[in-house]
Amino acid sequence: MAAFEIPEEQWAQVVEKSGGPAVYKKIPVQKPGPDEVLINVKYSGVCHTDLHAMMGDWPLDTKMPLVGGHEGAGVVVARGSLVQDIELGDHAGIKWLNGSCLACCFCMQADEPLCPHALLSGYTVDGSFQQYAIAKAAHVARLPKDCDLEEVAPVLCAGITVYKGLKESGARPGQYVAIVGAGGGLGSMAIQYAKAMGLHVIGIDGGDEKRESCQKLGAAAFVDFMSSKDLVQDVKDATPDGLGPHAVILLAVSEKPFQQATEYVRSRGTVICIGLPAHAFLKAPVFDTVIRMITIKGSYVGNRQDTQEALDFYQRGLVKVPFKTVGLSELQDVYSLMREGKIVGRYVVDTSR
Amino acid sequence: MAAFEIPEEQWAQVVEKSGGPAVYKKIPVQKPGPDEVLINVKYSGVCHTDLHAMMGDWPLDTKMPLVGGHEGAGVVVARGSLVQDIELGDHAGIKWLNGSCLACCFCMQADEPLCPHALLSGYTVDGSFQQYAIAKAAHVARLPKDCDLEEVAPVLCAGITVYKGLKESGARPGQYVAIVGAGGGLGSMAIQYAKAMGLHVIGIDGGDEKRESCQKLGAAAFVDFMSSKDLVQDVKDATPDGLGPHAVILLAVSEKPFQQATEYVRSRGTVICIGLPAHAFLKAPVFDTVIRMITIKGSYVGNRQDTQEALDFYQRGLVKVPFKTVGLSELQDVYSLMREGKIVGRYVVDTSR
Amino acid sequence: MAAFEIPEEQWAQVVEKSGGPAVYKKIPVQKPGPDEVLINVKYSGVCHTDLHAMMGDWPLDTKMPLVGGHEGAGVVVARGSLVQDIELGDHAGIKWLNGSCLACCFCMQADEPLCPHALLSGYTVDGSFQQYAIAKAAHVARLPKDCDLEEVAPVLCAGITVYKGLKESGARPGQYVAIVGAGGGLGSMAIQYAKAMGLHVIGIDGGDEKRESCQKLGAAAFVDFMSSKDLVQDVKDATPDGLGPHAVILLAVSEKPFQQATEYVRSRGTVICIGLPAHAFLKAPVFDTVIRMITIKGSYVGNRQDTQEALDFYQRGLVKVPFKTVGLSELQDVYSLMREGKIVGRYVVDTSR
Amino acid sequence: MAAFEIPEEQWAQVVEKSGGPAVYKKIPVQKPGPDEVLINVKYSGVCHTDLHAMMGDWPLDTKMPLVGGHEGAGVVVARGSLVQDIELGDHAGIKWLNGSCLACCFCMQADEPLCPHALLSGYTVDGSFQQYAIAKAAHVARLPKDCDLEEVAPVLCAGITVYKGLKESGARPGQYVAIVGAGGGLGSMAIQYAKAMGLHVIGIDGGDEKRESCQKLGAAAFVDFMSSKDLVQDVKDATPDGLGPHAVILLAVSEKPFQQATEYVRSRGTVICIGLPAHAFLKAPVFDTVIRMITIKGSYVGNRQDTQEALDFYQRGLVKVPFKTVGLSELQDVYSLMREGKIVGRYVVDTSR
Ligand SMILES: [Zn+2]
Ligand SMILES: [Zn+2]
Ligand SMILES: [Zn+2]
Ligand SMILES: [Zn+2]
Ligand SMILES: [Zn+2]
Ligand SMILES: [Zn+2]
Ligand SMILES: [Zn+2]
Ligand SMILES: [Zn+2]
């Protein structure tokens, strides 16, 4: 175990007031507490949540000033006195859940994301848009040494989240799952995870480009919400017995797709909500929900076990991440593209520039 | 196995056109097909659904003319050639699910209530508001000989339905369940089932009479929605750790209670919808549902296994049914009371008068 | 729906006394009862169980004289008056479970194979080693019209059985499953089902031929029990974290492999017993089973839902069956090879010769 | 939060060499590490495992010299710098699992008892047979202030263990569970937990005294293995449908009761092994286990969540513990009684004498 030379100062993107912007500047490097590690972040994915954190438009307060980022992949360069199962030089990932109490009734049941004392990277604690970030040792993602730190970054939030949603859906190998928003960045990962889990995918999105991208990734069917004359019927028809998919993963929840999902999902099926549009509401007819025994379920980020499982699928080559890399200094440009809705895959920032 | 003398004609309550009324008159007795039994109905409970069936205000067509009723308890007096596990003289119950195909993908997975070929007593086939009713042998409830046919009648729909809802909630012994509408007829049965299942009950309803009735049945707490200044907080406070109940059973779904349920249910908890108000909608904020990982689930009637289990609890004396008996000839009066919202427990009709 | 010309007599293999042999001769064609269908069997797989049935060496009595066979694929040529969801001309399969009561506590919970009134094809009722066989309509496997009746035959017992075992193991996509006897006929199907379900397979068998066959089918690792110096350690080492597979499927249970399975399975893992050697016993050390919380579980044949799921995997081309076809008249030769342990894949008999 | 005066020395029972005896003497008081608490133990239960630890007859090495004990109830008097959710003066319990890594694949899935780095109280670390004991803060049982520290002590191992076994059995409210060894100390707690969970109990034990004790605690039936002429049949007959109990809890596993359990448990039922006789083996016939789809499962101690749930049942008055208190100085006498098999309920030691 080599010792690492750790600088006193580092480059970071710092949000100084709610609403932004993020400022690229030098800030001090922190020291890990007894149960923490210090990670030299090499790459970090950029997630829609980072934009929400900067804008402060979610009903949950952020730390301020704030270093955002929660898809950081790097190398452990220091550790606290209690940390025993991570060595200096190990590769590790910083994810949305930076830490949790590990002792409350949620943590005790492996639902750490629901911990009332949860620390959120790039939201309630500083995250991965800096060269050296702190995280609770029990929570950092364990990455194998041969893991590509650039490509794995987006798995640390996007990958885990869609994998968790698929797990929560209860869909079993051989069953059908509809993915709403299948042609986007999250969607393309969801299709790949679903297939690796033995599921058949019905991609739902708009336009021929999205259709092609879904088909290339192996979706069994594609329904175009822009050209379909009867979306509900078309999705049902995409299953061999016409009864509809066993589960629906809503990556882009707005009220319209949500209501339709409860209509085309198979009786006894499950609609999983993942997307987090500000101020939106779920709405479903009581009668149909009851007599068809439909389940509607919110799925947040994965716990630590989900994290390792999602990473395993990636590591075995079953999930390719569509990404584009820019320098950490260019983060504000990525936010601009995001606001304009111009991002298809995932952006990754390189902290060395 | 004695042979029974079966008359050619019998008394029945017949709805001759959608909107009602039900007419008390003599009609012919039917003969069972090869896989059916003929039951001499002694008593039948009256359910809100019977009123909906007569009025035709649900988005599902009824048979017409129609003999309503789906909580019939009686004696098997004839059986078809294929029926082997029921003897003449056995006690049996007619429930909402009169029959199903037993071979579709839902029936094969013990979800007979979702069978697209389901026969519904008092809705798509004639039900228990007559002295002799037909039912598919595989579906009639098996009642022990020492079972009180008068008291058990309401268990056959109301009992099964609340028991099923509690089962579907996934709440485990020792956990807390809130019952919305706990002071009514369904509610009083739900409290008793919940307690027999090792659950702690928070009754939610309005008024001191309801409070008393809930407490007498053993509810751990009662929250009065008429006098509470902060219902959500009060329900949460009724659990020892203040995190809210693990499950909520909605017996009276209107949009207001539903939305509140998603607010006070514990994170990772489940809200079960049972009630079927015409034209109502579920509505819940996406953000909260997702980050608290809440499940909303429709629960319809029980399958055959749920039926036998619900009856077992009753048979062991763990569930008492609050009911009042009138003659079958007085059914129309019961409907009038129902319309005026004046019924607390359950009405049972005696087919002999 | 065409009418079929049905002969009075047909060719069949008839076991006339316990111990055999099977005699190839002409016997009358039966007529279906109200809830039955008559199937013109085109092909039938031959299973080890058929040999046990003829020899009468299992602790369960057979019908006598007996027409064996429980992997029959053919065409429905007649049906009883109650049968509504099967048309003449439909393709259908006869499986081990010829019928069940559909009303007992096991049938009600979709565990038809445990029904005390179960009818077993080629064991307690005549099976598929004849040109025209009877089966309960609710139980025949539904085969799509484009299904190859010759190749699908072995799926109807072997395929369903291994698929069921994998399902019962509780192993989730991404986890590891060890298959003991992976190089045999059942084993090769088990590997393919496991992979289609997103599992990683550790094949366990003896010899280089078996190793090659496992690797060709996509096993992640192979452990040779003939050459391994420490089988338990080798199986554990075949999982990335060295903790052993999450589940073990025992296709060839003798006491030795069984005891080893409880040693190398991961803590909290599950050992599934499928094989049925006469007179064998499971044996496991109490201490280790308790403190490692290991589950040992018997898995019998699949229910009707498992059947359709197993067929779906086959139909999508995810499972290829290694088989060899001979005439029905040559059945006795197949039994001879079986007794000598000389069969690797699966034999299918063609009822037309 | 008051400060506590902590002495330098304390009384303890120390095993100085494998084989015993335990010596009552003064030893230094330890200081808690950053993630630990120091508990002033008031009472501690005495468990069979403590005797095994002293004798060293289990296939798992102990620390030496060793302070035994793993059912300690007391008051937190000091805590490390990282401990935030426990205050000085809080009541807390020391249980078998003193600590675990909280980060391995077992801990991440809430299976802390399977953690390869687990610390075991009174076995691999010093336990509760001393006045001041150390435990990992994340693992100590949280006890309410109004909890009777004397009576609760035995819940901390015995109670949790039987509750966990019942949970692992998968038996649902309304179902039947047979408890082998129902008349002993563990058994009496198992009966009470089972009833509080809505289960029906068939007590199995030997002699009229045991029968009476089981019946007094509410067992639905009792089968005396000393006087029964056909134990398997008698247990099956104790269930209304004669099919046997849904689950069996084996508190006293020797090969005989185990084999019988697999015979009388209902098809698809579960046999839970809890007892840990040295060198014993499970043994079951393969044929019957497979075709009846029986599950055999080892259940070790509960995790932290099980602990809090088991304590909740106790705290609500649903479980009374039969115990007798002696001074800590008399521990060796308790061991003598234990060796002679003369203990029925549970012994508790008072550390003040
Ligand atoms: Zn994110
Ligand atoms: Zn927590
Ligand atoms: Zn009803
Ligand atoms: Zn059906
Ligand atoms: Zn077979
Ligand atoms: Zn049956
Ligand atoms: Zn103990
Ligand atoms: Zn651990």
Side-chain angles (χ1 to χ4, degrees):
Chain A
M1 172 164 50
F4 285 84
E5 207 158 314
I6 301 165
E8 304 259 309
E9 275 202 331
Q10 57 162 341
W11 284 102
Q13 284 280 6
V14 185
V15 177
E16 285 168 338
K17 61 174 201 301
S18 208
V23 179
Y24 188 60
K25 61 189 256 192
K26 282 214 148 185
I27 60 168
V29 172
Q30 308 294 320
K31 283 193 190 356
D35 57 348
E36 295 175 339
V37 291
L38 180 67
I39 295 178
N40 176 202
V41 180
K42 300 296 189 188
Y43 296 94
S44 179
V46 187
C47 173
H48 233 91
T49 297
D50 296 317
L51 182 56
H52 286 291
M54 182 174 77
M55 300 311 295
D57 58 2
W58 268 359
L60 193 68
D61 283 341
T62 65
K63 164 182 186 295
M64 201 55 64
L66 173 72
V67 175
H70 58 274
E71 294 184 344
V75 178
V76 176
V77 293
R79 63 177 198 179
S81 60
L82 288 171
V83 182
Q84 292 184 353
D85 63 330
I86 300 178
E87 304 300 321
L88 299 196
D90 279 0
H91 287 185
I94 286 178
K95 48 191 185 48
W96 177 242
L97 212 65
N98 189 284
S100 75
C101 82
L102 297 182
C104 71
C105 71
F106 298 107
C107 285
M108 283 199 307
Q109 296 179 86
D111 275 329
E112 308 102 48
L114 303 177
C115 177
H117 313 293
L119 306 175
L120 307 177
S121 302
Y123 207 96
T124 66
V125 296
D126 285 343
S128 55
F129 294 152
Q130 55 183 340
Q131 293 176 307
Y132 290 88
I134 297 280
K136 293 288 175 187
H139 271 278
V140 295
R142 273 70 175 158
L143 304 176
K145 281 267 168 84
D146 60 346
C147 181
D148 179 331
L149 296 178
E150 189 172 1
E151 199 195 23
V152 82
V155 177
L156 291 165
C157 172
I160 295 167
T161 299
V162 297
Y163 173 66
K164 176 67 163 183
L166 287 161
K167 250 180 106 171
E168 288 290 316
S169 79
R172 293 186 289 103
Q175 294 188 329
Y176 278 76
V177 61
I179 297 173
V180 181
L186 276 179
S188 77
M189 294 178 81
I191 295 176
Q192 295 174 79
Y193 273 108
K195 280 190 61 71
M197 295 164 83
L199 298 166
H200 301 281
V201 174
I202 302 166
I204 303 178
D205 215 319
D208 284 346
E209 206 179 319
K210 306 266 177 167
R211 173 189 302 269
E212 249 171 72
S213 124
C214 288
Q215 283 167 344
K216 210 178 292 171
L217 290 168
F222 180 84
V223 178
D224 188 330
F225 66 73
M226 301 199 317
S227 63
S228 166
K229 281 186 191 104
D230 185 344
L231 182 74
V232 169
Q233 196 55 50
D234 285 351
V235 175
K236 288 180 150 195
D237 288 349
T239 56
D241 58 9
L243 295 169
H246 301 79
V248 182
I249 307 292
L250 286 171
L251 299 177
V253 175
S254 60
E255 294 190 13
K256 180 95 187 283
F258 174 77
Q259 269 191 259
Q260 289 175 318
T262 64
E263 286 179 63
Y264 57 66
V265 74
R266 179 177 296 249
S267 292
R268 261 293 191 193
T270 300
V271 176
I272 295 289
C273 309
I274 289 182
L276 281 176
H279 317 303
F281 277 80
L282 307 177
K283 209 176 155 210
V286 172
F287 192 87
D288 203 50
T289 305
V290 169
I291 69 164
R292 299 213 300 120
M293 298 193 75
I294 288 168
T295 297
I296 301 160
K297 201 171 175 179
S299 177
Y300 188 34
V301 296
N303 65 9
R304 297 178 294 160
Q305 176 66 18
D306 303 321
T307 299
Q308 294 308 134
E309 291 175 8
L311 286 166
D312 281 353
F313 279 96
Y314 163 76
Q315 194 65 13
R316 282 170 199 141
L318 298 168
V319 178
K320 299 283 174 213
V321 186
F323 73 99
K324 197 170 163 178
T325 305
V326 298
L328 173 60
S329 57
E330 299 162 82
L331 178 64
Q332 196 63 33
D333 302 342
V334 180
Y335 286 153
S336 300
L337 288 170
M338 219 175 235
R339 267 205 203 93
E340 296 163 31
K342 281 193 181 149
I343 293 185
V344 177
R346 205 82 181 167
Y347 268 85
V348 167
V349 292
D350 175 344
T351 65
S352 71
R353 52 184 167 116
Chain B
M1 173 164 52
F4 286 83
E5 206 158 315
I6 301 164
E8 305 258 310
E9 276 202 332
Q10 58 162 341
W11 284 102
Q13 284 280 7
V14 185
V15 178
E16 285 167 337
K17 61 174 200 302
S18 206
V23 181
Y24 188 60
K25 61 188 259 191
K26 283 214 147 185
I27 60 168
V29 172
Q30 307 294 319
K31 282 192 190 0
D35 57 348
E36 295 176 339
V37 290
L38 180 68
I39 294 178
N40 176 202
V41 180
K42 300 295 188 188
Y43 296 94
S44 179
V46 187
C47 174
H48 233 90
T49 297
D50 296 317
L51 182 56
H52 285 292
M54 183 174 77
M55 301 311 294
D57 58 2
W58 268 359
L60 193 68
D61 284 340
T62 64
K63 165 183 185 295
M64 200 56 62
L66 173 72
V67 176
H70 58 274
E71 292 184 346
V75 179
V76 176
V77 294
R79 63 176 197 178
S81 59
L82 288 172
V83 182
Q84 292 185 353
D85 64 330
I86 300 179
E87 305 299 322
L88 299 196
D90 279 0
H91 287 185
I94 287 178
K95 50 191 183 48
W96 176 242
L97 212 65
N98 189 285
S100 75
C101 81
L102 298 182
C104 72
C105 71
F106 298 107
C107 286
M108 283 199 306
Q109 295 179 87
D111 275 328
E112 307 102 48
L114 303 178
C115 177
H117 314 293
L119 306 175
L120 307 177
S121 302
Y123 207 96
T124 65
V125 297
D126 285 343
S128 55
F129 293 154
Q130 56 182 339
Q131 293 176 306
Y132 291 89
I134 297 279
K136 294 288 175 189
H139 271 279
V140 295
R142 273 69 176 157
L143 303 176
K145 281 268 168 81
D146 60 347
C147 180
D148 179 331
L149 295 178
E150 190 172 0
E151 200 195 22
V152 80
V155 177
L156 291 165
C157 171
I160 294 167
T161 300
V162 297
Y163 173 65
K164 175 67 163 184
L166 287 162
K167 250 179 105 172
E168 288 290 318
S169 79
R172 292 186 290 103
Q175 295 187 330
Y176 279 76
V177 61
I179 297 174
V180 181
L186 276 179
S188 78
M189 295 178 81
I191 294 176
Q192 295 174 79
Y193 273 108
K195 280 189 61 71
M197 294 164 83
L199 298 166
H200 302 282
V201 174
I202 301 167
I204 302 178
D205 215 318
D208 284 346
E209 205 179 318
K210 308 263 178 168
R211 174 189 300 271
E212 250 171 71
S213 125
C214 289
Q215 282 167 347
K216 209 178 292 169
L217 290 169
F222 180 84
V223 177
D224 188 330
F225 66 73
M226 301 199 317
S227 63
S228 167
K229 279 182 192 110
D230 185 344
L231 182 74
V232 169
Q233 194 56 49
D234 286 352
V235 175
K236 287 180 150 192
D237 287 349
T239 55
D241 59 8
L243 294 170
H246 300 77
V248 182
I249 307 293
L250 285 173
L251 299 178
V253 176
S254 59
E255 292 190 13
K256 181 92 186 284
F258 174 76
Q259 268 190 259
Q260 289 175 317
T262 63
E263 285 179 64
Y264 57 66
V265 74
R266 179 178 296 250
S267 292
R268 258 297 189 191
T270 300
V271 176
I272 295 289
C273 309
I274 290 182
L276 280 176
H279 317 304
F281 277 80
L282 307 177
K283 211 177 153 209
V286 172
F287 192 87
D288 204 49
T289 305
V290 169
I291 72 163
R292 300 212 299 120
M293 296 192 78
I294 288 169
T295 297
I296 300 159
K297 200 171 173 180
S299 177
Y300 188 34
V301 297
N303 65 9
R304 297 179 293 159
Q305 175 67 17
D306 303 321
T307 298
Q308 294 308 133
E309 291 175 8
L311 286 166
D312 281 353
F313 279 96
Y314 164 76
Q315 194 64 11
R316 283 170 198 139
L318 297 168
V319 177
K320 300 282 172 215
V321 186
F323 72 98
K324 196 172 165 176
T325 305
V326 300
L328 174 59
S329 57
E330 299 162 83
L331 178 63
Q332 194 63 35
D333 301 342
V334 180
Y335 286 153
S336 300
L337 288 170
M338 219 175 237
R339 265 206 205 92
E340 297 162 31
K342 281 193 181 151
I343 292 184
V344 178
R346 204 81 181 169
Y347 268 85
V348 167
V349 292
D350 175 343
T351 65
S352 71
R353 52 183 167 115
Chain C
M1 174 163 52
F4 285 83
E5 206 159 315
I6 301 165
E8 304 258 311
E9 275 203 334
Q10 57 164 340
W11 284 102
Q13 284 281 5
V14 186
V15 177
E16 284 167 339
K17 61 173 203 300
S18 208
V23 179
Y24 188 60
K25 60 189 260 193
K26 283 213 147 187
I27 60 169
V29 172
Q30 308 294 320
K31 282 193 190 357
D35 57 348
E36 294 174 341
V37 291
L38 180 67
I39 295 178
N40 176 201
V41 180
K42 300 295 189 188
Y43 296 93
S44 179
V46 187
C47 174
H48 233 91
T49 296
D50 296 317
L51 183 56
H52 286 292
M54 183 174 77
M55 301 311 295
D57 58 2
W58 269 358
L60 194 67
D61 284 339
T62 65
K63 163 182 187 293
M64 200 56 62
L66 173 72
V67 176
H70 57 274
E71 293 184 344
V75 179
V76 176
V77 294
R79 63 177 197 177
S81 60
L82 288 172
V83 182
Q84 292 184 353
D85 63 329
I86 300 180
E87 304 300 322
L88 299 195
D90 279 359
H91 287 185
I94 286 178
K95 49 190 185 47
W96 176 241
L97 212 65
N98 189 284
S100 75
C101 81
L102 297 182
C104 71
C105 70
F106 297 108
C107 285
M108 283 199 306
Q109 295 179 85
D111 275 328
E112 308 103 48
L114 303 178
C115 177
H117 313 293
L119 306 175
L120 307 177
S121 302
Y123 207 96
T124 66
V125 297
D126 285 343
S128 55
F129 293 153
Q130 55 183 339
Q131 293 176 307
Y132 290 89
I134 297 280
K136 293 289 176 187
H139 271 279
V140 295
R142 273 68 176 160
L143 303 176
K145 281 268 167 82
D146 60 346
C147 181
D148 179 330
L149 296 179
E150 189 172 1
E151 199 195 23
V152 82
V155 177
L156 291 165
C157 171
I160 294 166
T161 300
V162 298
Y163 174 64
K164 175 67 162 184
L166 286 161
K167 249 179 106 171
E168 288 291 317
S169 78
R172 293 186 290 102
Q175 295 188 329
Y176 279 76
V177 60
I179 296 173
V180 181
L186 276 179
S188 78
M189 294 178 80
I191 294 177
Q192 295 173 79
Y193 273 107
K195 281 189 61 71
M197 294 164 84
L199 299 167
H200 302 281
V201 174
I202 302 167
I204 302 178
D205 215 319
D208 284 346
E209 206 178 319
K210 307 264 177 167
R211 174 190 300 270
E212 249 171 72
S213 124
C214 289
Q215 283 167 345
K216 211 177 290 169
L217 291 168
F222 181 84
V223 178
D224 188 331
F225 66 73
M226 302 200 316
S227 63
S228 167
K229 278 182 192 110
D230 185 343
L231 182 74
V232 170
Q233 196 55 50
D234 286 352
V235 175
K236 287 180 150 193
D237 288 349
T239 56
D241 58 9
L243 295 169
H246 300 78
V248 182
I249 307 293
L250 285 173
L251 298 178
V253 175
S254 60
E255 293 190 15
K256 181 94 187 285
F258 174 76
Q259 269 191 259
Q260 289 175 317
T262 64
E263 286 179 63
Y264 57 65
V265 74
R266 180 178 296 250
S267 293
R268 260 294 190 193
T270 299
V271 176
I272 295 289
C273 309
I274 289 182
L276 280 177
H279 317 303
F281 277 80
L282 307 177
K283 210 176 154 210
V286 172
F287 192 88
D288 203 49
T289 305
V290 169
I291 70 164
R292 299 212 302 121
M293 298 194 76
I294 288 168
T295 297
I296 300 160
K297 201 171 174 179
S299 178
Y300 188 35
V301 296
N303 65 9
R304 296 179 294 159
Q305 176 67 18
D306 302 321
T307 299
Q308 294 308 133
E309 290 175 8
L311 286 166
D312 281 353
F313 279 96
Y314 164 76
Q315 194 65 11
R316 282 171 199 139
L318 296 169
V319 178
K320 299 283 174 214
V321 186
F323 72 99
K324 196 170 163 179
T325 306
V326 299
L328 174 60
S329 57
E330 299 163 81
L331 178 64
Q332 196 61 36
D333 301 342
V334 180
Y335 286 152
S336 300
L337 288 171
M338 220 175 236
R339 268 208 202 91
E340 296 163 30
K342 283 194 181 149
I343 293 184
V344 177
R346 205 83 182 167
Y347 268 85
V348 167
V349 292
D350 175 344
T351 65
S352 72
R353 51 183 168 116
Chain D
M1 173 164 48
F4 285 84
E5 207 159 315
I6 302 164
E8 304 259 310
E9 275 202 332
Q10 58 164 341
W11 285 101
Q13 284 279 7
V14 185
V15 177
E16 284 167 340
K17 61 174 200 302
S18 207
V23 180
Y24 188 61
K25 61 188 257 192
K26 283 214 148 185
I27 60 168
V29 173
Q30 308 294 320
K31 282 190 190 3
D35 56 348
E36 295 175 339
V37 291
L38 180 68
I39 295 178
N40 175 202
V41 180
K42 300 296 189 188
Y43 298 94
S44 178
V46 187
C47 174
H48 234 90
T49 297
D50 296 318
L51 183 55
H52 285 293
M54 183 175 76
M55 301 311 295
D57 59 2
W58 268 358
L60 194 67
D61 284 341
T62 65
K63 166 183 184 295
M64 200 56 63
L66 173 72
V67 176
H70 57 275
E71 293 184 345
V75 178
V76 176
V77 294
R79 64 177 196 178
S81 60
L82 289 171
V83 183
Q84 293 185 353
D85 63 331
I86 300 178
E87 304 299 323
L88 299 196
D90 279 0
H91 288 186
I94 286 178
K95 48 190 187 46
W96 176 242
L97 211 64
N98 190 285
S100 75
C101 81
L102 298 181
C104 71
C105 71
F106 298 107
C107 286
M108 283 199 307
Q109 295 179 87
D111 276 328
E112 307 102 49
L114 303 178
C115 177
H117 314 292
L119 306 175
L120 307 176
S121 302
Y123 207 95
T124 65
V125 297
D126 286 343
S128 55
F129 294 153
Q130 55 182 341
Q131 293 176 306
Y132 291 89
I134 297 280
K136 293 289 176 189
H139 271 278
V140 295
R142 273 69 174 158
L143 303 176
K145 280 270 167 82
D146 60 347
C147 180
D148 179 332
L149 295 179
E150 190 171 0
E151 200 194 23
V152 81
V155 177
L156 292 165
C157 172
I160 294 167
T161 300
V162 298
Y163 173 64
K164 175 68 164 185
L166 287 161
K167 249 179 107 172
E168 288 290 316
S169 79
R172 293 186 289 102
Q175 295 188 329
Y176 279 76
V177 61
I179 297 173
V180 181
L186 276 179
S188 78
M189 295 178 81
I191 294 176
Q192 296 174 79
Y193 274 108
K195 281 190 60 71
M197 294 164 83
L199 299 167
H200 302 281
V201 174
I202 301 167
I204 303 178
D205 215 319
D208 284 346
E209 206 178 318
K210 307 265 177 167
R211 173 190 301 270
E212 249 171 73
S213 124
C214 288
Q215 283 167 344
K216 209 177 294 171
L217 290 169
F222 181 84
V223 178
D224 189 331
F225 67 72
M226 300 198 320
S227 63
S228 167
K229 279 182 192 110
D230 185 344
L231 182 74
V232 169
Q233 194 56 49
D234 286 352
V235 175
K236 288 180 148 194
D237 288 349
T239 55
D241 59 7
L243 294 170
H246 301 77
V248 182
I249 307 292
L250 286 172
L251 299 178
V253 175
S254 60
E255 293 191 12
K256 182 94 187 285
F258 174 76
Q259 268 190 261
Q260 289 175 317
T262 63
E263 285 179 63
Y264 57 66
V265 74
R266 179 177 296 250
S267 292
R268 258 295 189 193
T270 300
V271 176
I272 295 289
C273 310
I274 289 181
L276 281 177
H279 316 303
F281 277 80
L282 308 176
K283 210 176 155 211
V286 172
F287 192 87
D288 204 49
T289 306
V290 169
I291 71 164
R292 299 212 300 119
M293 296 193 78
I294 289 168
T295 297
I296 301 159
K297 201 171 173 180
S299 177
Y300 187 34
V301 297
N303 65 10
R304 297 179 294 160
Q305 176 67 16
D306 303 321
T307 299
Q308 294 308 132
E309 290 175 9
L311 286 166
D312 280 355
F313 279 96
Y314 164 77
Q315 194 64 10
R316 283 171 199 139
L318 297 168
V319 177
K320 299 282 173 216
V321 186
F323 73 98
K324 198 172 163 175
T325 305
V326 299
L328 174 59
S329 58
E330 299 163 82
L331 177 64
Q332 195 62 36
D333 301 343
V334 180
Y335 285 152
S336 300
L337 288 170
M338 219 175 237
R339 268 208 202 90
E340 295 161 32
K342 282 193 180 149
I343 293 184
V344 178
R346 204 81 180 166
Y347 268 85
V348 167
V349 292
D350 175 343
T351 64
S352 72
R353 52 184 167 114

